Amino acid sequence: MSNGDIFVGEVIGTAILILFGAGVVAAVVLNYSKAKDAGWVVIAFGWGFGVMAGAYTAAPLSGGHLNPAVTLGIAVDTGEWGTVHIYVAGQMVGAVLGALLCWLVYYAQFEANAEEDISQPTLGIFSTTPAIRRPVANLVTEIIATMGLVLPILAFGLTEGLGESGTAILIVSFLVVGIGLSLGGPTGYAINPARDLGPRIVHALLPIPRKGTSDWGYAWVPVVGPLIGGALSGLVFNAAF
């Protein structure tokens, strides 16, 4: 894979991931959405389908990492660091693009905030927010949840035929659903630094009426936690397998 293919694949794949993921949250939480109050299970499956659509699209070009924690875990395991920066750059650009597309899709619902008597905070559509703000506990949650993603992804590579058949991507998609249902309650399961940071930047810059804070004081947790989880996954996998 050329550097250009990697970058383009990660941009497109991550944009699709964020469009679906932020889109399902917007559908569930925004006023005047037909999916209003559909619930956490719908959100978890929406993110899983976003992974599936994005990764299948990106796979022929870049392998479909879509996540700096996955890229880091693979690099730590294999010792191959030459294209890490290309992957991460594509993932960040794609995350920003996907968040912008979500905003356009739900533009009328975002604008309706201006007509509400009480403002409706919108950060949770774009990025994660903890249910209980305890940075150390939140960080530990993100580390463990990310290991629950990256370690199985690395292990799937040992199962002959999964990669060639494309089944691995489908399994990872359901893995993301499972993480959301099982481990997503405390922090909203970022498990992906680009997924959280890119859309948070977009949220800060967009002219969304009465949007509330972008919460930069918490923003380091969903970046540092998944990176630690990805690195630990690479180390554990390399040692154990």
Side-chain angles (χ1 to χ4, degrees):
M1 294 179 287
S2 70
N3 287 348
D5 285 345
I6 291 171
F7 182 78
V8 171
E10 292 298 295
V11 168
I12 295 173
T14 309
I16 292 172
L17 164 64
I18 300 301
L19 174 61
F20 276 48
V24 72
V25 181
V28 170
V29 305
L30 283 175
N31 294 327
Y32 310 111
S33 164
K34 291 183 178 294
K36 173 73 172 173
D37 296 327
W40 186 254
V41 174
V42 170
I43 290 173
F45 272 94
W47 275 105
F49 291 140
V51 170
M52 180 174 65
Y56 272 123
T57 304
L61 292 173
S62 66
H65 293 190
L66 316 186
N67 183 342
V70 172
T71 301
L72 179 59
I74 292 172
V76 169
D77 173 44
T78 63
E80 297 176 3
W81 294 87
T83 57
V84 168
H85 64 293
I86 305 296
Y87 275 99
V88 174
Q91 291 154 5
M92 283 298 300
V93 172
V96 167
L97 179 59
L100 285 170
L101 292 173
C102 173
W103 173 64
L104 290 174
V105 170
Y106 284 93
Y107 181 83
Q109 283 71 30
F110 284 119
E111 287 296 298
N113 266 342
E115 303 170 7
E116 296 295 313
D117 293 332
I118 301 175
S119 64
Q120 183 180 22
T122 55
L123 178 60
I125 293 168
F126 294 90
S127 299
T128 59
T129 57
I132 299 174
R133 184 179 294 270
R134 293 186 180 175
V136 174
N138 302 148
L139 183 69
V140 170
T141 296
E142 286 294 331
I143 291 170
I144 294 172
T146 304
M147 292 185 73
L149 172 69
V150 179
L151 263 177
I153 287 176
L154 294 173
F156 294 157
L158 298 178
T159 303
E160 186 176 355
L162 277 184
E164 291 81 356
S165 68
T167 309
I169 292 175
L170 181 61
I171 295 173
V172 171
S173 304
F174 281 106
L175 173 62
V176 171
V177 174
I179 291 171
L181 295 176
S182 300
L183 307 176
T187 62
Y189 71 117
I191 60 175
N192 181 337
R195 166 266 177 276
D196 197 276
L197 181 58
R200 194 181 298 269
I201 293 170
V202 171
H203 178 267
L205 296 176
L206 283 177
I208 301 172
R210 305 172 73 174
K211 64 183 177 181
T213 177
S214 297
D215 196 8
W216 288 106
Y218 178 77
W220 67 275
V221 172
V223 172
V224 174
L227 289 177
I228 294 174
L232 288 175
S233 296
L235 291 171
V236 171
F237 184 81
N238 187 273
F241 293 90

